Amino acid sequence: MNTFKLGALVLAVTMATAGCADMSETQKGTAYGAGAGAVLGGLVGGIAGPGGAGRTAAGAAIGAAIGAVGGNIWGKRQQDQKMAMERATAGTNVQVTQTADNRLKVNVPADTGFATGRADLNPALRPILDQLATTLVQSPTSLVEVYGHTDNTGTDAINGPLSRQRAQNVSSYLTSRGVAPNRITMDGLGSTQPLVANDTAANRAINRRAEIYVREPAPAQGQPQAQAY
């Protein structure tokens, strides 16, 4: 691959990540990982053999896909957290999943988390948060994001504060169980991010929820890597 092609590839990646100033830390990690992966993939594609620009572009695309999950890591500790949360939520409607960008997601629906129109934690949610707090105390580098959601019943003036209070109450409970406040970020998103259409009572119940994300940032260069699972 000649100098011009390499320069063009690097410029394209730089432009792709230039908007990171307004991103969350997770989004930044994903964008930077994708950029670095694209450069590496492009280099490998161009060096590995004939094919010219097509090989370089294909290498860049593959590298970006791999690098996009490089901002967070999924190691044995994250897998252990997931298994512990699956045990804690067995028999409930709480969903525990691994996201595409290597975060642990705990989705708490309204029937488990909150009464309609209220931000108080349901008793059924407390043991789940107890288990989550335990795993977080044991994983001091993990960071937590908590988002509250509502359905579209009522106005934004009601839904916005209600969703923020739900997120705040989850965050405060985790803090009361030993999780440092500076590890937690939270926000209320009101009815702006429904999972399904708000066209039935059952669907509105799905959209009334709290989402908790746990991420393990990839260590800085020179620091030991987490054990892969």
Side-chain angles (χ1 to χ4, degrees):
M1 181 167 58
N2 61 34
T3 303
F4 174 79
K5 289 178 181 177
L6 176 59
L9 179 61
V10 173
L11 176 60
V13 172
T14 301
M15 293 175 65
T17 57
C20 289
D22 296 327
M23 294 180 180
S24 69
E25 289 302 313
T26 297
Q27 291 170 325
K28 288 178 183 178
T30 300
Y32 288 133
V39 171
L40 180 59
L43 287 171
V44 172
I47 292 171
R55 181 179 289 276
T56 299
I62 295 171
I66 296 172
V69 296
N72 305 303
I73 59 173
W74 187 273
K76 186 177 187 304
R77 183 159 59 188
Q78 285 286 84
Q79 185 65 21
D80 288 345
Q81 282 184 314
K82 181 174 182 289
M83 293 174 64
M85 292 309 302
E86 287 173 339
R87 289 192 295 269
T89 58
T92 73
N93 289 328
V94 175
Q95 297 175 323
V96 180
T97 56
Q98 176 186 358
T99 68
D101 60 349
N102 286 336
R103 292 181 295 171
L104 173 66
K105 178 182 178 181
V106 181
N107 184 72
V108 182
D111 60 350
T112 302
F114 308 93
T116 302
R118 299 188 61 84
D120 311 74
L121 301 182
N122 279 344
L125 181 56
R126 295 176 184 272
I128 295 172
L129 294 181
D130 287 339
Q131 178 60 60
L132 178 58
T134 297
T135 68
L136 291 171
V137 170
Q138 295 170 349
S139 306
T141 57
S142 296
L143 301 176
V144 188
E145 303 164 34
V146 183
Y147 299 103
H149 301 267
T150 67
D151 61 31
N152 66 347
T153 304
T155 65
D156 290 343
I158 295 174
N159 291 334
L162 176 61
S163 63
R164 283 192 293 274
Q165 189 59 56
R166 286 175 172 172
Q168 181 61 64
N169 286 352
V170 170
S171 302
S172 297
Y173 190 88
L174 293 175
T175 299
S176 74
R177 293 300 186 268
V179 182
N182 62 0
R183 297 173 57 191
I184 305 174
T185 58
M186 51 77 59
D187 198 4
L189 302 177
S191 60
T192 62
Q193 295 187 11
L195 295 177
V196 293
N198 283 292
D199 54 0
T200 66
N203 280 357
R204 286 190 291 273
I206 292 173
N207 291 329
R208 294 193 303 270
R209 69 198 189 278
E211 294 177 335
I212 307 169
Y213 295 89
V214 180
R215 63 187 182 93
E216 185 74 22
Q221 188 173 6
Q223 292 182 349
Q225 295 287 330
Q227 179 182 352
Y229 190 85

